[in-house]
Amino acid sequence: MPTSALTSASGRNRPLPATGNHSIRKARLAILLSGRGSNMVALVNAVQHGVLQELGEVVVVFSNKPDAPGLETAAALGCPTASLSSQGRKRAEFDADVVEVLHRYQPDYVVLAGYMRILSPTFIRAFAGRILNIHPADTHQHQGLHAYEWAFENRLPETKITVHLVDEGLDTGPILAQHAVDLRGADTLAEVERRGLAVEHRVYAETLAELIKKERHAEPAEASRVASPD
Ligand code: GAR
């Protein structure tokens, strides 16, 4: 595979860090994006000085677009980055290469943050039950792209920001959290997005923090692991 496309500042697997005096290590987060990465920034902020501070570390920010603005932002925030261009690639083959890249970082969670790809079974099965996504609508009502446009064009009084686990369907995975956003009086698409993103940025980190805490409690006999590796 084209390892030369890797842009990581630190592609090695780091030793498991400990939190304070405890041996419980932080969950290793791989954040995937395709664009500007405002959700990635919110997650990194939460890791650096917010709700994820004692719970998670960002081991890589990955993009299928080597020129995604979010990658540069991630590097400026001190995160390792990596990319592989998906342009012209067959879905399953590309995803197999991405899996190979991500495995080097041994993530506990793969956190999709505006990663505009439909994931193949190859990818889903490699990280089954450990892939999270944030969607700007109730996934029962709207799937795929352009959810804010959909809410705006239909003059919806609210949208429901949804954080869910990713399965092999399109936005069909189990819902972890939903938060309503009041859209009344939002008379431009930009205002709809502004209100929605403000909620996304808070809710994604909070939901991830709750999940990590829950899984820690669920595995008392193996407290040093947040989730099992492959
Ligand atoms: C966010 O609104 C996210 O919810 C959405 O893409 C945007 C990415 O923005 N994701 C989806 O629509 C997934 N179906 P960001 O790059 O600034 O985080």
Side-chain angles (χ1 to χ4, degrees):
M1 63 164 294
T3 46
S4 59
L6 276 174
T7 57
S8 173
S10 101
R12 69 203 163 83
N13 289 320
R14 297 189 287 181
L16 302 180
T19 55
N21 295 325
H22 306 286
S23 61
I24 298 175
R25 70 163 178 80
K26 296 179 180 178
R28 300 172 63 83
L29 311 176
I31 302 177
L32 275 54
L33 55 79
S34 300
R36 73 192 155 193
S38 72
N39 275 290
M40 175 276 299
V41 171
L43 289 165
V44 172
N45 284 339
V47 163
Q48 291 180 345
H49 35 249
V51 291
L52 286 166
Q53 201 176 7
E54 301 299 325
L55 297 171
E57 62 170 331
V58 178
V59 292
V60 68
V61 175
F62 173 86
S63 184
N64 65 310
K65 292 184 184 290
D67 59 351
L71 275 185
E72 206 174 316
T73 309
L77 287 167
C79 300
T81 62
S83 67
L84 280 179
S85 175
S86 56
Q87 199 169 16
R89 301 286 314 275
K90 290 208 172 96
R91 188 175 307 283
E93 288 170 15
F94 175 73
D95 278 0
D97 286 349
V98 177
V99 166
E100 194 181 320
V101 170
L102 293 181
H103 271 156
R104 294 179 204 160
Y105 298 90
Q106 300 188 340
D108 295 302
Y109 297 98
V110 175
V111 185
L112 308 182
Y115 188 62
M116 298 308 189
R117 303 268 309 161
I118 293 173
L119 299 173
S120 61
T122 307
F123 191 108
I124 307 284
R125 288 170 196 168
F127 303 105
R130 296 186 283 137
I131 309 170
L132 280 79
N133 185 40
I134 188 157
H135 185 67
D138 183 343
T139 46
H140 295 308
Q141 293 188 316
H142 181 283
Q143 302 81 32
L145 300 175
H146 310 305
Y148 285 131
E149 287 89 334
W150 168 78
F152 178 63
E153 282 160 16
N154 290 287
R155 294 286 186 269
L156 299 186
E158 68 168 31
T159 190
K160 280 193 181 134
I161 304 300
T162 305
V163 179
H164 64 98
L165 291 174
V166 176
D167 64 12
E168 292 186 26
L170 178 61
D171 294 336
T172 53
I175 291 172
L176 298 173
Q178 275 193 323
H179 287 254
V181 182
D182 188 348
L183 297 180
R184 288 172 300 174
D187 48 15
T188 62
L189 176 59
E191 175 61 9
V192 168
E193 284 188 346
R194 191 192 65 74
R195 292 187 194 182
L197 282 167
V199 175
E200 287 191 42
H201 296 162
R202 178 175 54 79
V203 160
Y204 212 1
E206 286 176 0
T207 306
L208 186 51
E210 287 310 309
L211 183 66
I212 294 168
K213 283 191 232 169
K214 206 167 117 194
E215 296 208 346
R216 275 186 180 177
H217 287 301
E219 294 180 23
E222 202 190 2
S224 65
R225 293 290 301 166
V226 175
S228 302
D230 292 330

